[in-house]
Amino acid sequence: MLQLLKDRNFLLYWLGQFISVIGDHVTVLAFPWLVLQLTGSELLMGLVFAAQGLPRAVLMLWGGALVDRTDRAGSCSGPISSASPL
């Protein structure tokens, strides 16, 4: 692993992914908190949490079933190659 971090391109890719994941997690907490601050309603805050979490849970179940039925090499390289232009 340390040998990979010496490669500049891999290090930049890894740092970009790390920052992206941190941003995703901050967003999951920040939006409901913003709703709570603006409205003072715990119910609306809970609805925002549910609106964020429910699609993720459903897509994970569907995606897991799909990956189990397809070629493993294609399911690993496809998302990586499609994200690289971004």
Side-chain angles (χ1 to χ4, degrees), residues 1 7 14 16 18 24-25 28 31-32 36 42 51 53-54 57 60 73 79 83 85:
M1 179 70 183
D7 182 13
W14 190 85
F18 180 75
D24 290 344
H25 289 288
V28 167
F31 282 143
L36 179 64
E42 292 88 4
L54 189 61
M60 275 192 237

Side-chain angles (χ1 to χ4, degrees), residues 10-75:
F10 180 79
L11 181 62
L12 290 174
Y13 175 75
W14 190 85
L15 285 173
Q17 290 296 317
F18 180 75
I19 291 169
S20 177
V21 168
I22 295 295
D24 290 344
H25 289 288
V26 167
T27 302
V28 167
L29 294 174
F31 282 143
W33 189 20
L34 177 65
V35 168
L36 179 64
Q37 294 296 315
L38 293 176
T39 66
S41 171
E42 292 88 4
L43 177 64
L44 287 176
M45 181 184 76
L47 289 174
V48 170
F49 266 123
Q52 287 179 332
L54 189 61
R56 188 176 291 178
V58 170
L59 290 174
M60 275 192 237
L61 291 172
W62 180 75
L66 181 66
V67 168
D68 286 343
R69 294 184 180 134
T70 59
D71 178 35
R72 290 185 183 186
S75 64

